[in-house]
């Protein structure tokens, strides 16, 4: 409850904007440090931050999250009686809602700084509060000083601090405030682009007899060893001839960093590889990335052919091409960190996938299978923030959504061949050599997809499938046996001290990830990276959801408990290759699960029987 004194104080606070002068000073509270980090490796502090606006996200505690997690695992376990009984939007929001005391105390604190309800945007469960304020006010509220920091290797700059404080009585009522100590550079998985081989080479390969994949036993066109198409994936993953037919199914792709999915390129792709899909498209949603005059400004949808995004084109062409005619959605989320304050970009924001989470959690019927090919080094995302974002993914899983993330292309951390420029060091001031897991790939509530190449399949070699062990999240029960078996077979002392053997291990699965033929700005190109494997796997999951819906069963939802139990027999085990990085050969692909290709690549013919049994 607000005190009588506070009510009196609020009555005389100036009605001027919170960037202006005060009629009375804000109520004095004793501040205590909430979070502090060492100056991050590779970043140099420059001058204090100039005047600009900053979008703060304040995370309130979710006291019943453990109950939500229990529901998530029960409805995702194929051996549990509640399997498939996903929660509603309202049920999930109730489970993650903060206590009213937390809401009231945070409101009182904000009001003492002149911030009113109409200055705020609240998440559907009211567990996040977002506000756009001058940075000088943010410094006052958080008892800190922001500086411009520059990344020496890339030249990127951002406005951050290494420590912030909160009134001591709010420490139990606020879990995290960002952007403050987050130095993530939020990047797409590294994609390589090349031009298709000449027609004579392609024609010669097409005239060769089909290749028999020794793992799956399927026959695959010889040309698939130089160019991956929809037909190649259908053949390799045993999905030839399957036509989705169920109502209520859906598939989605997330787009960030001003990547646009070009419809004309999609039509060219369909004409080339999926003619039955010609003249079909996808639904587009523009997701807010910042606040201007308290109104959301969304992601753009520039259909100029020359501005087409390679990542977005790859994602939509293969995810939607594999799953056609399942209804498809593309989400364009605004925001492009790192941030340099200038006249054209007057507002500093967080990593935009949290904006997308706010948006998608507010929707009554999100897509059932969603792929994302973006992320950060885990250590550049403060653990408090990583846990809260990961909890958002858990909410979607509990509602029946399958989330796929690419594992990244840095091997075990950094596949730069020059040891002098490798960045495999801790970010905590100790500068200790360490493998670098990725986030959100390391979140235990998502399905992380590694990369393979060639037929028969091996771990991708032209770049290296990201994989390893989280330093933030403990290994979940669903993968303890599979990962335990791998670690038990690992020669004693291998990479000791370079990774956390008790951490959540990734990737979970894999798919082809090199030489995908897409159309970009009107021309065919070949593109590769785990940014290809994630949407490809998401397309397969959309097909599996169709199988379940056709049998009057609920969608798959969070996949991992299924994959690591009865689903294992539906995967092609990849046993050749490794994921180099940090001056090492990384981990090896081997029989069973491994931190290069996970459980392996999907065999749709087997999985479609397993998911309804």
């Amino acid at each position: 409850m607000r005190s009588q004194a506070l009510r009196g104080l609020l009555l005389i606070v100036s009605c001027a904007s919170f960037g202006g002068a005060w009629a009375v000073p804000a109520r004095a509270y004793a501040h205590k440090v909430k979070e502090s980090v060492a100056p991050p490796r590779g970043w140099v502090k420059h001058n204090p931050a100039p005047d600009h606006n900053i979008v703060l996200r304040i995370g309130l505690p979710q006291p019943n999250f453990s109950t939500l997690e229990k529901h998530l695992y029960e409805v995702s376990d194929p051996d549990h009686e509640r399997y498939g009984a996903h929660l509603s939007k309202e049920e999930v929001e109730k489970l993650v809602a903060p206590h009213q005391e937390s809401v009231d105390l945070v409101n009182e604190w904000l009001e003492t700084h002149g911030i009113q309800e109409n200055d705020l945007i609240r998440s559907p469960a009211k567990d996040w509060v977002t506000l756009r304020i001058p940075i000088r006010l943010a410094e006052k509220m958080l008892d800190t000083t922001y500086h411009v920091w520059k990344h020496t290797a890339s030249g990127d700059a951002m406005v951050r601090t290494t420590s912030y404080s909160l009134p001591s009585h709010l420490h139990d009522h606020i879990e995290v405030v960002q952007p403050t100590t987050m130095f993530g550079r939020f990047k797409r998985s590294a994609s390589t682009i090349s031009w298709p081989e000449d027609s004579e080479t392609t024609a010669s390969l097409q005239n060769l007899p089909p290749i028999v994949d020794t793992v799956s036993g399927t026959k695959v066109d010889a040309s698939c060893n130089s160019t991956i198409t929809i037909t190649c994936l259908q053949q390799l993953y045993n999905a030839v001839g399957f036509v989705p037919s169920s109502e209520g199914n859906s598939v989605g792709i997330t787009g960030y960093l001003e990547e646009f999915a070009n419809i004309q390129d999609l039509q060219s792709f369909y004409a080339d590889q999926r003619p039955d899909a010609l003249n079909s498209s996808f639904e587009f949603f523009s997701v807010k990335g910042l606040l201007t005059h308290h109104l959301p400004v969304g992601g753009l949808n520039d259909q100029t052919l020359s501005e087409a995004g390679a990542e977005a084109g790859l994602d939509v062409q293969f995810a939607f091409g594999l799953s056609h005619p399942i209804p498809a959605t593309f989400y364009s989320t605004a925001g492009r960190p790192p941030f340099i304050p200038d006249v054209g970009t007057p507002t500093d924001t967080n990593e935009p996938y949290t904006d997308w989470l706010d948006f998608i959690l507010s929707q009554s019927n999100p897509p059932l299978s969603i792929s994302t090919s973006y992320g950060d080094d885990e250590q550049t995302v403060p653990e408090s923030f990583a846990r809260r974002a990961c909890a958002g993914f858990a909410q979607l899983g509990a509602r029946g959504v399958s989330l796929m993330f690419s594992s990244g292309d840095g091997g075990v951390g950094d596949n730069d061949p020059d040891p002098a420029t490798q960045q495999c060091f801790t970010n905590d001031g100790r500068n200790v050599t360490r493998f670098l897991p990725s986030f959100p790939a390391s979140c235990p509530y998502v399905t992380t997809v590694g990369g393979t190449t060639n037929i028969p399949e091996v771990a991708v070699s032209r770049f290296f499938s990201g994989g390893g062990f989280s330093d933030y999240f403990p290994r979940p029960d669903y993968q303890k046996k599979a990962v335990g078996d791998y670690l038990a077979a690992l020669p004693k002392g291998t990479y000791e001290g370079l990774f956390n053997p008790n951490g959540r291990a990734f990737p979970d699965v894999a798919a082809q990830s090199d030489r995908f033929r897409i159309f970009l700005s009107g021309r065919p190109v070949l593109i590769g990276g785990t940014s290809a494997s994630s949407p490809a796997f998401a397309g397969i999951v959309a097909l599996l959801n169709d199988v379940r819906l056709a049998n009057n069963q609920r969608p798959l939802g969070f996949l991992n408990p299924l994959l690591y139990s009865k689903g294992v027999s539906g995967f092609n085990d990849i046993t050749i290759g490794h994921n180099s990085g940090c001056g090492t050969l990384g981990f090896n692909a081997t029989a069973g699960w491994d931190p290069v290709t996970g459980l392996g690549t999907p065999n749709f013919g087997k999985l479609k029987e397993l998911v309804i049994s």
Side-chain angles (χ1 to χ4, degrees):
M1 296 295 290
R2 295 186 178 94
S3 68
Q4 192 66 34
L6 180 58
R7 290 195 186 97
L9 173 65
L10 295 176
L11 288 175
I12 59 174
V13 169
S14 168
C15 63
S17 70
F18 35 65
W22 301 97
V24 295
R27 185 177 180 183
Y29 290 110
H31 278 68
K32 184 173 70 174
V33 173
K34 177 66 176 178
E35 187 168 42
S36 181
V37 300
R41 180 182 174 84
W43 290 89
V44 177
K45 183 169 70 173
H46 287 259
N47 51 294
D51 289 334
H52 70 288
N53 294 320
I54 190 167
V55 173
L56 285 183
R57 292 177 59 88
I58 302 171
L60 280 62
Q62 301 170 328
N64 296 314
F65 180 77
S66 60
T67 302
L68 172 74
E69 185 182 46
K70 180 175 182 292
H71 284 293
L72 171 67
Y73 282 124
E74 288 180 355
V75 302
S76 307
D77 180 354
D79 294 324
H80 198 281
E81 61 183 3
R82 293 186 61 211
Y83 181 57
H86 302 120
L87 304 185
S88 68
K89 173 179 180 290
E90 293 73 21
E91 288 171 330
V92 167
E93 289 171 2
K94 185 176 180 180
L95 286 169
V96 298
H99 288 316
Q100 189 60 43
E101 180 186 13
S102 296
V103 176
D104 290 341
L105 287 172
V106 171
N107 285 349
E108 289 181 1
W109 173 58
L110 295 175
E111 287 170 351
T112 63
H113 290 282
I115 302 169
Q116 305 298 321
E117 183 64 30
N118 63 357
D119 299 315
L120 311 175
I121 289 181
R122 297 186 187 274
S123 62
K126 298 184 178 181
D127 54 332
W128 283 104
V129 177
T130 305
L131 61 154
R132 174 181 180 270
I133 58 175
I135 198 163
R136 297 295 168 248
L137 178 55
E139 290 177 330
K140 182 176 182 179
M141 293 170 61
L142 303 175
D143 192 25
T144 191
T145 300
Y146 283 86
H147 285 79
V148 175
W149 290 76
K150 293 186 178 179
H151 189 250
T152 54
S154 66
D156 289 340
M158 62 174 61
V159 174
R160 292 294 187 265
T161 181
T162 55
S163 177
Y164 70 93
S165 299
L166 291 170
S168 56
H169 75 287
L170 291 179
H171 275 235
D172 291 335
H173 301 282
I174 293 177
E175 284 190 342
V176 61
V177 180
Q178 290 292 348
T180 49
T181 58
M182 183 184 301
F183 285 82
R185 294 167 57 215
F186 190 72
K187 50 192 178 293
R188 65 180 60 87
S189 294
S191 298
T192 58
I193 299 176
S194 59
W195 302 109
E197 298 185 26
D198 61 64
S199 57
E200 289 185 7
T201 302
T202 302
S204 65
L205 287 171
Q206 288 175 340
N207 292 329
L208 291 175
I211 303 169
V212 177
D213 183 73
T214 55
V215 178
S216 65
T218 58
K219 291 184 178 180
V220 185
D221 292 345
S223 62
C224 297
N225 255 330
S226 67
T227 302
I228 293 294
T229 64
I230 292 293
T231 298
C232 292
L233 295 180
Q234 290 172 330
Q235 292 174 345
L236 183 59
Y237 298 143
N238 198 12
V240 173
F242 181 81
V243 179
S245 59
S246 302
E247 294 184 1
N249 202 356
S250 50
V251 59
I253 292 293
T254 63
Y256 300 99
L257 305 182
E258 300 166 14
E259 282 269 354
F260 314 120
N262 185 270
I263 295 173
Q264 186 174 335
D265 277 341
L266 179 64
Q267 296 306 313
S268 297
F269 175 83
Y270 282 161
D272 184 60
Q273 298 187 35
R274 191 80 202 238
D276 60 319
L278 266 171
N279 299 318
S280 68
S281 189
F282 52 84
E283 188 172 8
F284 173 84
F285 280 99
S286 176
V287 180
K288 73 175 181 65
L290 51 86
L291 309 176
T292 302
H293 302 300
H294 317 309
L295 297 175
V297 176
L300 304 179
N301 187 26
D302 188 343
Q303 287 297 313
T304 305
L305 199 59
S306 62
E307 297 298 321
E311 180 63 60
L314 166 65
D315 291 351
V316 303
Q317 289 171 33
F318 272 87
F320 302 163
L322 270 172
S323 59
H324 177 76
I326 294 171
T329 303
F330 180 77
Y331 299 93
S332 176
T333 302
R336 177 181 270 276
F339 167 79
I340 303 175
D342 58 31
V343 175
T345 55
T347 302
D348 196 356
T349 62
N350 273 305
E351 271 64 1
Y353 56 72
T354 50
D355 289 320
W356 177 79
L357 266 173
D358 282 350
F359 176 85
I360 202 71
L361 287 170
S362 71
Q363 305 301 300
S364 297
N365 296 295
L368 300 178
S369 172
I370 303 176
S371 173
T372 299
S373 296
Y374 298 78
D376 287 320
D377 290 340
E378 185 184 70
Q379 68 170 354
T380 66
V381 181
E383 184 173 351
S384 58
F385 190 79
R387 290 188 177 280
R388 284 302 299 263
C390 190
F393 301 136
Q395 294 177 52
L396 286 170
R399 290 175 55 181
V401 177
S402 301
L403 294 173
M404 272 59 67
F405 280 84
S406 58
S407 69
D409 303 316
V412 290
D414 187 339
N415 64 15
D416 189 332
D418 183 357
T421 56
Q422 288 173 355
Q423 299 295 313
C424 297
F425 302 94
T426 59
N427 211 31
D428 56 6
R430 297 180 300 148
N431 293 332
V432 175
T433 302
R434 185 83 169 175
F435 290 165
L436 301 180
S438 300
F439 179 83
S442 64
C443 172
Y445 310 126
V446 305
T447 299
T448 303
V449 189
T452 62
T453 189
N454 296 338
I455 297 99
E457 288 186 278
V458 298
V460 69
S461 57
R462 200 152 62 95
F463 34 78
F464 300 97
S465 178
F469 300 80
S470 172
D471 287 319
Y472 288 171
F473 301 99
R475 183 150 60 249
D477 287 343
Y478 62 73
Q479 64 172 190
K480 281 188 175 178
K481 183 182 187 309
V483 177
D485 289 347
Y486 175 84
L487 291 173
L490 199 64
K492 188 175 181 180
T494 302
Y495 303 140
E496 186 173 356
L498 294 182
F499 70 98
N500 172 23
N502 299 311
R504 186 276 203 257
F506 69 97
D508 301 298
V509 294
Q512 284 279 317
S513 63
D514 199 7
R515 300 188 298 267
F516 277 50
R517 178 181 170 89
I518 69 165
F519 278 76
L520 177 65
S521 299
R523 299 182 62 184
V525 301
L526 300 183
I527 188 169
T530 56
S531 53
S533 52
S534 183
F537 191 83
I540 296 293
V541 173
L543 299 182
L544 293 172
N545 273 330
D546 194 84
V547 172
R548 283 187 58 83
L549 293 169
N551 284 270
N552 297 314
Q553 296 177 321
R554 301 292 297 275
L556 290 167
F558 175 44
L559 295 169
N560 294 4
L562 166 70
L563 302 183
Y564 283 89
S565 55
K566 64 191 294 185
V568 169
S569 61
F571 284 84
N572 310 314
D573 194 8
I574 310 303
T575 60
I576 298 174
H578 56 85
N579 58 352
S580 297
C582 301
T584 74
L585 291 177
F587 296 108
N588 288 325
T590 187
W593 179 91
D594 57 68
V596 188
T597 61
L599 298 169
T601 59
N603 185 321
F604 176 77
K606 292 182 179 180
L607 287 169
K608 71 178 183 179
E609 302 301 324
L610 290 172
V611 298
I612 59 173
S613 63

